[in-house]
């Protein structure tokens, strides 16, 4: 895991080592183990790199790395299947001087050019310069686990792992009003129809599953991977699905344990992280000297604390467990640091918990952590997916719908964590059969509701209302469509940004076994009844690994998210003053109504809208130098 930087220009004066050094110095947290800088012979291309040593800790793994006297790369991420690829390339006569996945990537690119991306199981963002063709090939992994930003400034093309690299060399830092409007108006942190858009004007991110080619002073982007959510294998049976799911998941975990430094895991107590921990424990059973370190967040005297379930995993495995307790004062101390590292707004103080977990891992000397992120989105783990599922099966069979809803209602009768969904009626039937019409009406209602309640300035609202991003056109009667939306458009992309910035703030690497593309492709090919069944979310995962997990976790029916003490923090006089100052900044910039800073402030529990005070804090931070 590392940080990358680059400058490309036909004007050689723009490609300077001093600029590359400034860029990489600004992200030393991403790579404290070393740095490197390189400028091409013609002076038109410059790469920078910060290194966090994970594979091949020797100098042969340093970057920018060169290969065959032709290629140069700056690479961030991990290619988990690099050993398998390396063996195939050795058979074809390729030679290697290092034991790194970076050199394997260079050889594979020489062999297959852009088609090399199809072979990679990994998380990555990289740029390769080809001396022979004078092209620069850039790519980002399928899900966007690793960041890749780019912008054009003073006749040069810049790319970076974090936007602060651009600010370090004088790139204009102007907030994007369209993104601000949609965040204040709809709580949207990404433009789902244009994932390249950021909260800063002129700064783009390379969308997940895309590559970019720069040549002759121009660049083009192209999507290289996608999933068809409509394509399903309805002939597969439960036993076959269980077998394939187990095999793909265990292979994914095994590959993500490859490292030359200590590897541990995050453990929340939920089924996803617990399965990762238990799978690692199983894979280490023949190595009694290898004890897995886990890192957990706890909450004192809080009914949603997960200590009971964490203990059940302890009893099932040979882990060494480390815990951190979140308090209001913790958020006070690190709020500005988190804003600095995240660079763009975040939805609530819940990411404080994740920040503290990675901080604890650093204190314990564990560099790499596996985590369960992604399972909820691909396996239908969130409670709202039930409505879409019921809509889908009712269109196929009224008897099956009655059976499934009855099982759901009975199972969740006493669920005090997740509100029980009422039996779908006419409204849901219309949504399932006419999603386009429902989306259109919903957009109109949302616009009216927010206009009547927000503190937003009238002129700002009028100007940016036509640029609303709330055109959520997924099929309300098709579960896979809903899962695709959550995985690739709104939901997971934001969570992956949180994880990358929070982990790299502490020079830690996070790996996500549920985001093996082979596993995701398989899960999306399955019928909905294998994802939700008899009132259970993530049914296939539960049934496939019920012998590996504690029963209390396998068959727990509540879904708990992290809820730090955000409300008490927002009640703090210092925070209230910060909110008032934020509103004043937004008022001066024509975003909020004049005098908004003098209006009462509503403290918000995490993940609630309130009067938008949290959002005001976030947006005002964009205007700070």
């Amino acid at each position: 895991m590392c940080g990358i930087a680059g400058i490309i220009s036909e004007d050689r004066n723009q490609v300077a080592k001093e600029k590359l050094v400034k860029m990489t110095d600004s992200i030393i947290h991403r790579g404290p183990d070393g740095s490197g800088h390189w400028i091409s012979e013609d002076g038109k291309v410059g790469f920078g790199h910060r290194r966090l040593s994970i594979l091949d800790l020797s100098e042969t793994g340093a970057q920018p790395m060169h290969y065959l006297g032709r290629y140069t790369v700056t690479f961030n991420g991990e290619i988990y299947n690099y050993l398998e690829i390396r063996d195939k390339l050795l058979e074809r006569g390729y030679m290697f001087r290092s034991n790194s996945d970076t050199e394997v990537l260079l050889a594979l690119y020489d062999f297959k050019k852009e088609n090399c991306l199809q072979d990679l199981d990994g998380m990555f963002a990289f740029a390769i310069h080809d001396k022979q063709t004078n092209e620069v090939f850039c790519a980002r992994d399928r899900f966007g686990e690793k960041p890749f930003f780019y912008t054009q400034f003073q006749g040069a093309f810049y790319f970076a792992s974090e936007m602060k690299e651009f600010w370090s060399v004088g790139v204009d830092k102007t907030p994007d009003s369209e993104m601000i409007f949609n965040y204040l108006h709809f709580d949207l942190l990404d433009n789902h129809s244009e994932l390249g858009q950021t909260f800063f004007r002129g700064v783009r991110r390379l969308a997940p599953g895309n590559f970019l080619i720069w040549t002759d002073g121009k660049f083009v982007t192209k999507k290289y991977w996608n999933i068809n959510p409509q394509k399903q294998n309805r002939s597969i049976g439960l036993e076959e699905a269980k077998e394939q799911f187990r095999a793909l998941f265990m292979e994914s975990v095994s590959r993500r344990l490859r490292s030359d430094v200590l590897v541990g895991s995050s453990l929340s107590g939920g089924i996803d992280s617990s399965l990762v921990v238990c799978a690692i424990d199983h894979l280490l059973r023949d190595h009694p000297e290898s004890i897995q370190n886990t890192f957990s967040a706890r909450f004192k005297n809080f009914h949603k604390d997960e200590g009971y379930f964490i203990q059940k995993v302890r009893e099932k495995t040979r882990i060494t467990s480390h815990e951190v307790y979140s308090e209001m004062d913790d958020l006070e101390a690190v709020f500005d640091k988190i804003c600095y590292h995240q660079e763009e707004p975040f939805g609530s103080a819940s990411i404080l918990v994740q920040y503290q977990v990675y901080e604890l891992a650093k204190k314990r000397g564990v560099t790499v952590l596996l985590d369960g992120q992604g399972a909820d989105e691909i396996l239908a783990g969130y409670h709202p997916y039930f409505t879409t599922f019921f809509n889908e099966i009712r269109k196929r069979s009224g008897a099956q719908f009655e059976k499934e809803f009855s099982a759901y209602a009975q199972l969740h009768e006493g669920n005090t964590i997740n509100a029980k969904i009422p039996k779908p009626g006419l409204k849901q039937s219309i949504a399932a059969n006419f999603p386009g019409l429902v989306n259109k009406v919903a957009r109109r209602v949302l616009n009216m509701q927010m206009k009547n309640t927000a503190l937003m300035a009238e002129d700002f609202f009028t100007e940016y209302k036509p640029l609303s991003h709330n055109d959520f056109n997924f099929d309300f009667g098709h579960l896979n469509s809903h899962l695709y939306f959550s995985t690739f458009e709104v939901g997971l992309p934001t969570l992956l940004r949180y994880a990358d910035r929070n982990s790299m703030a502490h020079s830690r690497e996070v790996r996500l076994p549920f985001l093996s593309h082979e596993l995701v492709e398989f899960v999306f090919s399955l019928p909905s009844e294998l994802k939700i069944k008899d009132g259970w979310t993530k049914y296939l995962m539960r049934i496939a690994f019920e012998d590996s997990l504690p029963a209390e976790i396998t068959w727990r029916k509540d879904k708990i998210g992290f809820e730090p003490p955000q409300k008490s923090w927002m009640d703090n006089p210092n925070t209230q003053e910060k909110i008032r100052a934020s509103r004043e900044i937004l008022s001066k910039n024509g975003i909020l109504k004049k005098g908004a800073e003098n209006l009462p402030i509503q403290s918000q529990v995490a993940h609630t809208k309130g009067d938008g005070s949290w959002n005001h804090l976030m947006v005002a931070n964009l205007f700070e130098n």
Side-chain angles (χ1 to χ4, degrees):
M1 189 67 63
C2 308
I4 63 175
I7 308 172
I8 311 171
S9 179
E10 293 295 308
D11 180 0
R12 295 171 178 81
N13 294 323
Q14 294 293 330
V15 185
K17 182 178 178 181
E18 299 78 40
K19 291 182 180 179
L20 292 168
V21 170
K22 284 182 179 180
M23 292 174 73
T24 55
D25 280 355
S26 72
I27 56 165
I28 192 171
H29 51 277
R30 295 190 74 94
D33 297 330
S35 64
H37 307 89
W38 165 85
I39 294 178
S40 61
E41 292 178 6
D42 63 8
K44 296 181 179 181
V45 179
F47 288 170
H49 190 264
R50 289 291 329 184
R51 185 182 187 193
L52 177 63
S53 301
I54 303 291
L55 293 171
D56 189 349
L57 309 186
S58 71
E59 280 303 307
T60 60
Q63 297 185 49
M65 184 180 287
H66 312 286
Y67 193 70
L68 298 179
R70 175 177 176 178
Y71 305 103
T72 301
V73 67
T74 183
F75 170 77
N76 170 30
E78 302 290 347
I79 307 301
Y80 302 121
N81 61 335
Y82 77 103
L83 293 177
E84 291 81 358
I85 296 172
R86 192 177 195 268
D87 287 343
K88 292 179 181 178
L89 291 170
L90 285 169
E91 292 175 0
R92 291 187 167 273
Y94 283 92
M95 303 294 290
F96 300 94
R97 60 185 291 269
S98 76
N99 294 312
S100 71
D101 56 342
T102 306
E103 191 175 20
V104 171
L105 172 63
L106 282 167
L108 186 65
Y109 181 73
D110 177 70
F111 178 44
K112 289 192 171 183
K113 294 302 183 288
E114 68 186 50
N115 290 326
C116 73
L117 297 170
Q118 305 300 329
D119 293 0
L120 303 180
D121 173 15
M123 54 177 183
F124 50 81
F126 64 81
I128 295 175
H129 174 257
D130 184 340
K131 179 181 176 180
Q132 184 171 309
T133 64
N134 201 32
E135 286 186 346
V136 178
F137 178 80
C138 309
R140 192 175 180 209
D141 65 74
R142 294 171 176 83
F143 301 97
E145 293 181 61
K146 293 296 101 192
F148 187 102
F149 295 99
Y150 63 92
T151 190
Q152 297 189 78
F153 175 63
Q154 295 181 345
F157 176 88
Y158 288 76
F159 65 83
S161 291
E162 297 185 15
M163 290 184 281
K164 57 179 62 66
E165 297 180 67
F166 300 149
W167 318 147
S168 73
V169 293
V171 172
D172 183 42
K173 186 182 179 183
T174 302
D176 187 308
S177 296
E178 180 183 331
M179 290 292 287
I180 290 173
F181 169 82
N182 281 278
Y183 174 53
L184 294 178
H185 199 37
F186 304 114
D187 273 337
L188 290 175
L189 289 161
D190 286 297
N191 180 354
H192 68 95
S193 60
E194 180 47 79
L195 289 174
Q197 190 171 8
T198 74
F199 274 86
F200 293 96
R201 195 181 305 163
V203 176
R204 306 278 296 174
R205 60 170 57 87
L206 185 60
N210 277 250
F211 65 76
L212 178 155
I213 298 178
W214 181 93
T215 184
D216 296 328
K218 300 177 182 179
F219 71 90
V220 294
T221 62
K222 183 178 179 181
K223 195 168 187 65
Y224 68 85
W225 182 81
N226 204 353
I227 280 178
N228 180 0
Q230 305 298 324
K231 187 177 180 180
Q232 289 184 300
N233 176 14
R234 299 202 60 82
S235 64
I236 191 169
L238 177 60
E239 291 305 314
E240 182 183 353
K242 282 169 55 178
E243 183 178 342
Q244 288 194 44
F245 183 83
R246 283 186 65 98
L248 287 168
F249 181 75
M250 293 304 294
E251 179 182 58
S252 180
V253 173
S254 179
R255 285 179 175 177
R256 282 155 181 77
L257 289 176
R258 292 172 174 172
S259 171
D260 293 328
V261 296
L262 280 177
V263 178
S265 53
S266 303
L267 175 59
S268 69
I271 187 172
D272 309 332
S273 65
S274 297
L275 177 55
V276 172
V277 170
C278 290
I280 294 173
D281 189 71
H282 175 75
L283 291 168
L284 295 179
R285 69 191 184 281
D286 295 329
H287 303 277
E289 75 285 356
S290 299
I291 303 297
Q292 180 184 177
N293 286 272
T294 65
F295 301 88
S296 306
R298 299 285 307 279
F299 302 95
K300 293 178 181 178
N301 303 316
F302 187 48
H303 73 287
K304 293 186 180 181
D305 177 68
E306 296 279 75
Y308 170 80
F309 298 102
I310 292 170
Q311 178 58 31
K312 290 299 176 183
V313 176
R314 283 198 200 102
E315 295 169 1
K316 183 82 173 179
T317 59
R318 300 179 306 119
I319 64 174
T320 297
S321 178
H322 309 277
E323 298 176 346
V324 60
Y325 285 82
S326 291
E327 303 285 354
M328 183 188 77
D329 291 343
D330 297 330
L331 183 55
E332 182 78 24
V334 301
F335 178 78
D336 290 337
K337 291 180 182 179
I338 294 176
C339 289
Y340 171 78
H341 285 289
Q342 289 292 326
E343 297 186 316
E344 297 180 282
F346 45 95
S348 74
S350 61
I351 70 169
L352 161 71
V353 178
Q354 187 185 62
Y355 182 90
Q356 290 179 309
V357 166
Y358 295 133
E359 183 178 45
L360 180 61
K362 182 175 184 178
K363 290 178 181 177
R364 297 292 183 267
V366 177
T367 305
V368 176
L369 285 86
L370 273 64
D371 193 278
Q373 212 162 62
D376 284 319
E377 289 79 10
I378 68 170
L379 285 159
Y382 295 125
H383 219 64
Y385 293 133
F386 276 115
T387 298
T388 309
F389 172 69
F390 292 142
N391 285 342
E392 177 181 333
I393 61 173
R394 183 164 60 175
K395 287 195 294 185
R396 288 203 304 268
S397 168
Q400 184 186 9
F401 163 70
E402 292 294 342
K403 176 180 175 294
E404 284 289 345
F405 187 82
S406 177
Y408 162 80
Q410 184 175 351
L411 180 65
H412 293 275
E413 183 63 38
N415 190 338
T416 59
I417 299 296
N418 309 115
K420 195 167 73 171
I421 294 172
K423 189 172 184 178
L426 179 60
K427 184 188 297 185
Q428 287 75 24
S429 179
I430 294 173
N433 289 284
F434 305 99
L437 174 63
V438 172
N439 275 306
K440 185 176 181 180
V441 173
R443 286 196 294 273
R444 188 170 299 169
V445 171
L446 276 172
N447 275 330
M448 290 305 299
Q449 286 178 340
M450 293 303 297
K451 180 179 179 181
N452 293 334
T453 60
L455 298 176
M456 194 179 293
E458 184 70 26
D459 289 347
F460 185 77
F461 178 88
T462 302
E463 181 177 358
Y464 290 99
K465 178 183 174 182
L467 302 176
S468 292
H469 298 164
N470 65 332
D471 50 337
F472 303 149
N473 291 318
F474 69 81
D475 187 345
F476 289 93
H478 193 255
L479 180 61
N480 250 13
S481 179
H482 197 167
L483 299 180
Y484 183 94
F485 180 78
S486 298
T487 303
F488 298 102
E489 297 182 11
V490 172
L492 186 60
T494 303
L495 297 178
L496 295 179
R497 187 245 294 180
Y498 295 168
D500 173 78
R501 303 306 190 281
N502 274 340
S503 61
M504 295 312 299
H506 302 293
S507 307
R508 304 300 95 180
E509 175 174 291
V510 59
R511 299 177 175 181
L512 307 176
F514 286 104
L515 293 188
S516 155
H517 70 278
E518 293 172 327
L519 178 66
V520 174
E521 288 169 348
F522 172 68
V523 171
F524 266 90
S525 76
L526 298 174
S528 299
E529 295 87 334
L530 290 179
K531 298 162 193 171
I532 294 179
K533 184 176 176 61
D534 296 335
W536 295 101
T537 61
K538 294 186 275 199
Y539 179 76
L540 178 63
M541 182 168 73
R542 296 177 194 269
I543 202 74
F545 284 98
E546 63 178 337
D547 60 338
S548 304
L549 285 159
E552 296 88 345
I553 292 175
T554 304
W555 302 110
R556 64 179 297 193
K557 57 190 177 184
D558 55 349
K559 172 66 180 172
I560 297 179
F562 284 129
E563 288 192 20
Q566 177 175 303
K567 187 178 188 304
S568 59
W569 179 75
M570 291 183 73
D571 283 331
N572 184 288
N574 292 335
T575 308
Q576 297 262 314
E577 183 56 39
K578 186 185 282 279
I579 294 170
R580 278 189 284 272
S582 296
R583 287 180 173 179
E584 187 174 4
I585 291 171
L586 300 185
S587 181
K588 288 179 179 178
N589 282 276
I591 295 170
L592 295 186
K593 296 173 181 175
K594 292 191 180 300
E597 65 273 17
N598 299 318
L599 297 175
I601 295 170
Q602 289 181 18
S603 300
Q604 298 167 226
V605 175
H607 312 299
T608 61
K609 179 69 178 175
D611 63 353
S613 292
W614 178 268
N615 302 48
H616 302 155
L617 273 172
M618 292 289 101
V619 174
N621 192 66
L622 300 174
F623 289 88
E624 295 182 2
N625 294 324

